[in-house]
Amino acid sequence: MLLFLNFLKKKKNEPKPKQANATSSKPKRTNEHVATRKGEIGEYKIDIQLDQLPKDCRYLSDLLVKNPKARSGYSQIDHVVLTPYGIFAIETKNYQGTIYGGKDRKTWLVNGKFKMMNPFVQNYGHIKALTSFIDEKYHDLFISMVSFTKRCTFKVDLDYRKIASNEIIVYDIELSEFIHRKVSVLKIHHKEPLLTESDISIIYNAFAKANITDPKVREEHKLVLQTNASVEKTSSRSTCTVCNKPVSDKVKTYCLSNKKFKGKTYCYEHQKTVQ
């Protein structure tokens, strides 16, 4: 018994090994990693919806195709959905906040501060790139759709939310619903499908063949976009349209949200001169 007590006393007095800091072994989560992860989750939610579309529909995701008119020489299309009544080109956005935009504006705003290209202008370029791989008879069947996460609030033209439009803005969770609704409207206007099963297969195969899967090319395309975005962010500033005087973000937001100014920014003095 005495030996056992001496053993315990010895163990108690022995220095304990240092434990590694649990947090130090984990990789640091940068804003880029968080954004990438959120983007992956968003795409996953959309893929689930697209998987549940009717059997007469087919879709492709993450297409990279040649586009001589694009800065990088390529266009990257998030999703293309082929239905008997139309071809949906879908651009997905992973922003958080209020989205300000209109049909007559080349750039939109996020939270009244950060510029983004009008996503429908961007998607128009994507559609033009896709049309180069298919017969001309299919060119007028495209519907441009832009999907934002529910972390956003829309302050955009109401036409973008109308099913009758061929430019539709949606939340990611309602994507498949709007596709169904749009197809239903098109069915009313067209007694026969606009695309046969054979047509859909031909278009699908053409896009699949045009898709570039080379990781090196995809990485180069990504780097070009990131470089351009950095340059635009550095060079952008808010100034009055008339006198070029710098204005605050608050003044800029006020002007862009007021239809009176038609998407232009004015300093306080020149706001009074606009009729």
Side-chain angles (χ1 to χ4, degrees), residues 56-154:
D56 57 2
C57 299
R58 300 184 72 178
Y59 76 91
L60 304 97
S61 295
D62 193 24
L63 289 173
L64 184 69
V65 300
K66 287 185 177 180
N67 182 2
K69 294 184 178 180
R71 291 179 180 178
S72 68
Y74 303 92
S75 278
Q76 192 163 17
I77 303 96
D78 293 325
H79 306 277
V80 178
V81 178
L82 308 173
T83 78
Y85 289 89
I87 305 169
F88 292 82
I90 303 169
E91 173 69 17
T92 62
K93 297 296 182 184
N94 185 34
Y95 291 105
Q96 179 175 349
T98 304
I99 308 298
Y100 299 90
K103 291 180 180 292
D104 58 339
R105 300 180 187 176
K106 292 183 179 179
T107 58
W108 287 11
L109 288 176
V110 183
N111 292 328
K113 297 181 180 180
F114 308 107
K115 285 184 178 180
M116 62 178 287
M117 179 189 288
N118 180 332
F120 288 99
V121 172
Q122 182 182 6
N123 218 23
Y124 175 80
H126 293 169
I127 290 171
K128 281 297 182 182
L130 290 173
T131 58
S132 66
F133 302 105
I134 57 177
D135 194 284
E136 188 176 352
K137 64 182 180 181
Y138 304 127
H139 290 190
D140 294 331
L141 300 181
F142 280 89
I143 297 127
S144 181
M145 187 172 279
V146 178
S147 167
F148 284 86
T149 70
K150 278 293 288 181
R151 297 182 298 126
C152 290
T153 302
F154 300 141

Side-chain angles (χ1 to χ4, degrees), residues 144-183:
S144 181
M145 187 172 279
V146 178
S147 167
F148 284 86
T149 70
K150 278 293 288 181
R151 297 182 298 126
C152 290
T153 302
F154 300 141
K155 296 290 184 181
V156 299
D157 286 349
L158 295 178
D159 286 347
Y160 284 133
R161 294 289 284 171
K162 294 179 180 178
I163 292 297
S165 174
N166 280 334
E167 292 184 330
I168 305 173
I169 191 169
V170 300
Y171 291 111
D172 55 357
I173 60 172
E174 60 184 14
L175 180 67
S176 60
E177 174 195 344
F178 268 70
I179 292 176
H180 280 297
R181 289 171 60 187
K182 182 64 179 179
V183 169

Side-chain angles (χ1 to χ4, degrees), residues 1-61:
M1 183 66 178
L2 183 60
L3 290 173
F4 179 68
L5 291 174
N6 287 335
F7 172 76
L8 291 178
K9 185 177 180 180
K10 182 180 180 182
K11 291 293 290 181
K12 182 178 180 180
N13 293 331
E14 284 181 357
K16 293 181 179 180
K18 291 184 179 180
Q19 293 183 353
N21 189 336
T23 57
S24 64
S25 62
K26 293 182 179 180
K28 292 183 178 180
R29 297 178 66 189
T30 64
N31 289 337
E32 183 179 353
H33 292 150
V34 173
T36 300
R37 180 58 179 157
K38 287 180 178 178
E40 290 172 352
I41 293 173
E43 293 299 319
Y44 178 68
K45 286 194 294 184
I46 288 177
D47 282 335
I48 290 176
Q49 292 184 73
L50 298 182
D51 281 337
Q52 296 173 351
L53 289 173
K55 293 181 179 179
D56 57 2
C57 299
R58 300 184 72 178
Y59 76 91
L60 304 97
S61 295

